[in-house]
Amino acid sequence: MRTDLGVFVKAGGSFTTIAYLTGTPFGPGRRFRGRLGAAFDEVLTTRTIWRNLPPARTYVCRRPAAPPRREPYGSRRGSQGDDVNSA
């Protein structure tokens, strides 16, 4: 899954996805939920739909989180924000 899903969601929009209950307690399911939490400010989990086979729940994600600020390629900064190459 892309970690920058928020760039595909318009302002005021939401991203909705389904997760099968059989996979949610295990590593990949937990990582998936963690990635949603990192990509969006709000992640709502619906109740389990037991009539679905296999049972599933829906994640409704809103308000994309601001992407981390990246330094331009080739830019090296020290711990205080000073340019490493300047002396």
Side-chain angles (χ1 to χ4, degrees), residues 3-67:
T3 56
D4 58 349
L5 279 173
V7 300
F8 300 107
V9 178
K10 290 183 179 183
S14 64
F15 172 76
T16 304
T17 186
I18 297 170
Y20 294 117
L21 194 61
T22 55
T24 54
F26 302 109
R30 291 169 61 173
R31 284 191 297 275
F32 178 70
R33 174 60 177 88
R35 288 180 181 163
L36 290 176
F40 295 91
D41 287 336
E42 179 181 31
V43 179
L44 304 173
T45 305
T46 64
R47 61 181 176 78
T48 300
I49 315 304
W50 294 104
R51 294 180 127 186
N52 192 67
L53 291 175
R57 61 178 52 154
T58 303
Y59 296 120
V60 180
C61 310
R62 298 181 185 147
R63 292 189 308 277

